């Protein structure tokens, strides 16, 4: 396929990089974006993030007329339009549910009515897993670790078995049972399920990509809830010490937005309908403290003393990083951007 592709929310952080990737591969790209700031001012989708070849339609994904118009002549859809802060989803409950759930409902209804055999790729999130997968020394698997049941406590950060044997974090595969801990996670899970159910009924091929900790240029710097690297960057630029929750040894999977854009394109191009859920991460893990160290090295900042809070942020998980075996085997996905290179690019953009 090398036709015309619609990206909802395509003027934002991930969507605009995806638009670049698709143009580079010969697609025609149309973007539907409300351009409405999400949180604190100007860090919404921006027309300036888009190549001049992209056709931009300003409109809300909850507006059926705008969506119907945007679908005309397209052969595939990436659904990226969403509210993305985990923290504020817990007090802007109506706004998140409206944008993420109703937005997906309107898009699906329009796709069902428009018929055709457009493929739909939904941007989902690792947030639906809650804590990642753990094993004990015998190899037994634990998919239900949570702070709520006391396995993780203040000052005792690592999850323990009932007999206090430490549990070992391992890569989280797609089959891990979801554990939804925020309205954001719930809305991402709903997006996946709704797309799969409606897609199945109307023969719309659907793939949902569970994105891990995506970082890179164009990420909102003023959103206090999204992206620890963006938060570190804005604190460092303003002369404030970065703040580290817990002990900083919590592990995450930081994946470059360029690798994510490639993963999205591969999901569009793959010719299979069996597996519909894929993790998109870097396949590696790194602690938050190491992230800060690497970032300071790249920025040539020495003697930065972070403020280590020793407490955990409400709703935070301890460890989660991606098992990307399925994406590798089925999509042909292979992350290419080394973390330090991605950090350098981010630093040059700041
Ligand atoms: C959340 C979502 C994820 C994605 C991501 C956006 C969950 C489980 N996951 O991941 O789906 O939406 O947000 O990037 O909800 N931290 C600090 N200092 C700070 C900020 C964060 O130490 O100033 C820590 C934080 O406690 C966490 C880690 O850094 O352990 C990563 O935080 P994040 O907000 O970048 O992303 P995360 O993993 O909560």
């Amino acid at each position: 396929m090398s036709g015309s592709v619609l990206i909802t929310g395509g003027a934002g952080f991930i969507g605009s990089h995806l638009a670049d990737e698709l143009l580079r591969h010969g697609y025609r790209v149309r973007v539907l974006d409300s351009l409405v700031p999400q949180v604190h001012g100007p860090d919404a989708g921006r027309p300036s993030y888009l190549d001049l070849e992209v056709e931009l339609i300003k409109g809300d994904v909850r507006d059926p007329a705008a969506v119907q118009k945007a679908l005309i002549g397209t052969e595939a859809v990436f659904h990226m339009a969403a509210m993305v802060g985990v923290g504020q989803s817990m007090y802007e409950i109506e706004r998140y549910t409206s944008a993420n759930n109703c937005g997906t409902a309107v898009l699906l209804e329009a796709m069902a009515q428009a018929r055709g055999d457009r493929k739909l790729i939904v941007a989902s999130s690792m947030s639906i897993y809650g804590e990642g997968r753990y094993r004990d020394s015998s190899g037994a698997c634990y998919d239900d670790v949570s702070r709520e049941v006391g396995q993780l406590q203040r000052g005792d950060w690592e999850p323990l078995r009932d007999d206090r044997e430490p549990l070992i974090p391992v890569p989280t595969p797609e089959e891990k049972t979801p554990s939804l801990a925020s309205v954001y996670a719930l809305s991402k899970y709903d997006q996946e399920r709704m797309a799969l159910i409606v897609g199945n009924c109307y023969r719309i091929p659907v793939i949902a990509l569970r994105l891990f900790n995506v970082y890179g240029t164009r990420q909102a710097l003023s959103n206090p809830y999204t992206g620890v690297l963006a938060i570190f960057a804005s604190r460092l630029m303003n002369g404030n010490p970065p703040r580290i929750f817990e002990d900083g040894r919590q592990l995450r999977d930081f994946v470059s937005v360029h690798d994510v854009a490639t993963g999205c394109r591969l999901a569009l191009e793959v010719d299979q309908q069996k597996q519909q859920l894929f993790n998109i991460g870097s396949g590696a893990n790194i602690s938050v403290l190491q992230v800060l160290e690497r970032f300071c090295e790249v920025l040539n900042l020495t003697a930065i003393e972070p403020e280590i809070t020793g407490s955990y942020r409400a709703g935070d998980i301890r460890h989660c990083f991606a098992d990307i075996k399925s994406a590798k085997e089925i999509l042909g996905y292979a992350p290419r951007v080394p973390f330090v290179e991605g950090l350098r690019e981010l630093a040059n953009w700041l």
Side-chain angles (χ1 to χ4, degrees):
M1 196 201 119
S2 60
S4 184
V5 176
L6 170 66
I7 311 175
T8 72
F13 164 45
I14 301 175
S16 64
H17 281 285
L18 172 60
D20 292 343
E21 165 83 8
L22 293 172
L23 286 177
R24 270 196 301 275
H25 284 80
Y27 294 90
R28 287 188 302 284
V29 180
R30 179 181 295 155
V31 159
L32 174 69
D33 200 300
S34 67
L35 303 176
V36 171
Q38 283 221 6
V39 205
H40 304 272
D43 282 316
R46 294 183 186 187
S48 62
Y49 289 161
L50 295 174
D51 189 282
L52 291 175
E53 301 225 339
V54 172
E55 181 192 352
L56 173 62
I57 298 179
K58 185 175 179 315
D60 195 299
V61 74
R62 285 162 293 188
D63 173 0
V67 176
Q68 283 155 14
K69 181 178 156 203
L71 283 173
I72 293 169
T74 58
E75 290 170 34
V77 180
F78 287 92
H79 183 33
M80 303 267 164
M83 304 278 292
V84 296
V86 175
Q88 72 262 39
S89 77
M90 298 307 284
Y91 55 86
E92 295 192 14
I93 301 166
E94 191 273 333
R95 235 174 127 204
Y96 271 71
T97 307
S98 170
N100 297 5
N101 296 49
C102 298
T104 306
V106 170
L107 173 65
L108 285 168
E109 227 173 274
M111 288 183 72
Q113 280 163 10
R115 299 284 168 165
D117 55 358
R118 286 178 191 84
K119 188 172 196 172
L120 172 64
I121 292 129
V122 178
S124 183
S125 160
M126 54 83 89
S127 64
I128 70 161
Y129 292 125
E131 278 293 335
R133 175 170 281 184
Y134 291 82
R135 288 195 186 283
D136 66 14
S137 56
S138 75
C141 172
Y142 291 73
D143 274 357
D144 55 358
V145 169
S146 88
R147 286 192 155 109
E148 282 65 43
V149 296
Q151 285 139 318
L152 282 158
Q153 287 153 10
R154 197 188 160 91
D156 181 15
W157 303 113
E158 297 301 329
L160 304 171
R161 227 168 45 177
D162 287 347
D163 62 1
R164 301 197 64 77
E165 180 188 305
L167 294 172
I168 304 149
V170 294
T172 297
E174 290 85 357
E175 62 268 20
K176 185 198 173 269
T177 315
S179 172
L180 310 170
S182 65
V183 171
Y184 172 74
L186 174 65
S187 73
K188 283 286 150 186
Y189 188 64
D190 285 347
Q191 287 188 333
E192 281 186 2
R193 303 316 309 167
M194 209 190 295
L196 291 170
I197 291 167
V198 177
N200 192 32
C201 177
Y202 290 93
R203 295 181 193 283
I204 299 167
V206 172
I207 288 186
L209 301 176
R210 294 175 172 169
L211 310 181
F212 277 65
N213 292 69
V214 189
Y215 72 95
T217 59
R218 305 177 194 160
Q219 187 164 29
L221 293 180
S222 61
N223 181 341
Y225 296 102
T226 301
V228 66
L229 264 168
I231 296 170
F232 285 167
S234 52
R235 287 189 72 87
L236 289 167
M237 286 191 311
N238 294 321
N240 296 316
R243 198 177 304 138
I244 302 264
F245 297 113
E246 303 168 39
D247 57 359
R249 291 180 207 286
Q250 58 272 41
L251 299 172
R252 291 293 188 278
D253 183 329
F254 284 84
V255 57
S256 158
V257 70
H258 299 300
D259 286 329
V260 170
T262 305
C264 290
R265 177 180 56 78
L266 293 169
L268 169 67
E269 291 171 350
V270 72
D271 189 17
Q272 64 89 38
Q273 288 193 31
K274 232 172 102 209
Q275 176 145 353
Q276 296 180 294
L277 300 174
F278 293 93
N279 286 339
I280 298 291
S282 69
N285 63 72
I286 184 167
S287 74
V288 171
L289 263 180
Q290 285 170 318
V291 166
L292 179 61
E293 264 172 42
R294 297 287 117 77
F295 198 32
C296 288
E297 278 162 25
V298 161
L299 292 166
N300 282 323
L301 292 172
T302 46
I304 295 292
E305 276 300 321
E307 183 193 315
I308 300 192
T309 66
S311 59
Y312 72 83
R313 200 172 54 168
D316 264 0
I317 51 149
R318 178 61 177 171
H319 303 300
C320 190
F321 43 94
D323 181 334
I324 56 170
K325 195 163 160 265
S326 300
K328 279 183 163 169
E329 287 179 6
I330 300 174
L331 304 182
Y333 169 71
R336 287 185 207 290
V337 183
F339 189 49
V340 170
E341 236 171 70
L343 288 182
R344 269 196 208 111
E345 192 199 14
L346 177 62
N348 289 333
W349 173 76
L350 292 173

